[in-house]
Amino acid sequence: MGSRLDSDVLMAIRRLRRHLTVWRLLAVIGFTLAVVLLIGERNGFSGLDGDDHVARVSIDGVIVADTDMIDLLDQIADDTSAKALIVDIASPGGTFDGGEAMYSALRRIANQKPVVAVMGGIATSGAYMTAIGADRIFASYGTITASIGVIMQSADVTELLDKVGIKPETIKSGALKATPNPAEKLQPDARQQLQDVVNELHTRFAQMVADRRGMTLEAVLQRTGDGRIMTGARALEANLIDEIGGYTDARAWLATAHEVGTDLPVLDWKVDDPLQWWRDGVHSAVSTIFGKSLWAERLRLDGVLALWQPSGSGGR
């Protein structure tokens, strides 16, 4: 009995040690995350150094209403050491309100210092809306841009529901409430109401382009009203951009047009994200599952989109 008791005690001690090890590991992880979050909360932005410089901000991926990014841009507007802003854009667009918020933030900066946009491989829809907030727009010959338009998408799954024996019941206060609804046939009056909203926002987008590019609304609609994409070369012909060029050309323009010397250092401003490593890991996993497309990101988008995707989905 004595040896069995000793054995049971030893096993119990080992189990206790294993449990303690697990809890200690969890405590360390929790403490580390708390410190990282605290640092991220106390230091929301990186890029501040107090010396005169040219600020640079990168806008990539799907554009949404990002209050942290807007706050960052507003800080650049107020920072007297930032003598100019270069905006690197590589995005297919995003939500209409996201693009409009970025445009307005760039115009607030432009009221105090020069802003120049440099387009990368793609800068369409909401990304182009962002770009026209700058004082000057550069693109390469091969940049895909324009796609001036908006889109609202839904799906009709009523036939599928019929096949599986599901009949949805919807109680709503009016015929146009909660439309489009995939569980209901889209009625003509609802379709027209949605089309009116899309047309209104399309006109708003086109008017923004007309105001910033020195064109009439009619000219913008004639050249881009069908939502077509353009290369940088065709966009230059259509007066949607100012020059074919890149970062070096943007610095040269700042020097000649605004006396912002090329000897000033460039400082990258960005929103600090203490959990970026986690987001990158999740994004990588999703990309592996769904492929390298915007599908996973579009699942997160809601409302009216100013987005282009070469997928045959009809987006523009």
Side-chain angles (χ1 to χ4, degrees), residues 17-225:
R17 286 176 176 172
R18 284 198 297 268
H19 291 161
L20 286 174
T21 300
V22 171
W23 282 110
R24 285 171 181 166
L25 181 60
L26 291 175
V28 169
I29 293 174
F31 177 77
T32 302
L33 286 175
V35 170
V36 170
L37 289 173
L38 179 61
I39 293 174
E41 185 69 23
R42 295 183 62 184
N43 302 288
F45 308 113
S46 65
L48 305 168
D49 72 349
D51 295 329
D52 287 352
H53 63 277
V54 174
R56 181 167 58 189
V57 171
S58 294
I59 298 174
D60 52 24
V62 176
I63 296 174
V64 295
D66 185 341
T67 56
D68 288 336
M69 177 59 78
I70 300 303
D71 289 344
L72 174 69
L73 294 173
D74 286 340
Q75 282 204 20
I76 294 174
D78 296 335
D79 192 322
T80 57
S81 66
K83 301 304 180 183
L85 171 64
I86 297 175
V87 186
D88 289 330
I89 302 177
S91 166
T95 62
F96 188 95
D97 65 324
E100 192 172 32
M102 295 293 290
Y103 164 85
S104 297
L106 292 186
R107 292 313 304 151
R108 289 194 294 272
I109 297 174
N111 288 333
Q112 303 185 52
K113 62 199 68 177
V115 178
V116 56
V118 179
M119 294 179 174
I122 183 171
T124 50
S125 294
Y128 180 72
M129 184 188 294
T130 299
I132 60 176
D135 299 309
R136 198 162 186 84
I137 304 174
F138 289 85
S140 67
Y141 283 105
T143 296
I144 300 300
T145 187
S147 186
I148 297 169
V150 296
I151 182 172
M152 182 182 292
Q153 288 182 315
S154 184
D156 182 351
V157 300
T158 54
E159 292 187 11
L160 175 62
L161 294 178
D162 287 341
K163 290 180 179 179
V164 297
I166 298 176
K167 183 180 180 181
E169 296 288 351
T170 304
I171 310 298
K172 54 185 181 179
S173 58
L176 300 182
K177 177 66 177 175
T179 57
N181 180 356
E184 293 180 338
K185 289 284 187 183
L186 187 61
Q187 300 301 315
D189 55 347
R191 179 181 294 277
Q192 185 58 54
Q193 187 263 342
L194 295 173
Q195 187 65 58
D196 290 343
V197 170
V198 169
N199 291 345
E200 178 184 350
L201 293 178
H202 182 206
T203 301
R204 162 65 178 161
F205 192 172
Q207 187 63 61
M208 292 167 67
V209 176
D211 293 342
R212 293 297 303 147
R213 301 303 304 170
M215 294 188 282
T216 64
L217 177 61
E218 292 72 20
V220 173
L221 293 176
Q222 182 179 13
R223 299 177 190 182
T224 69

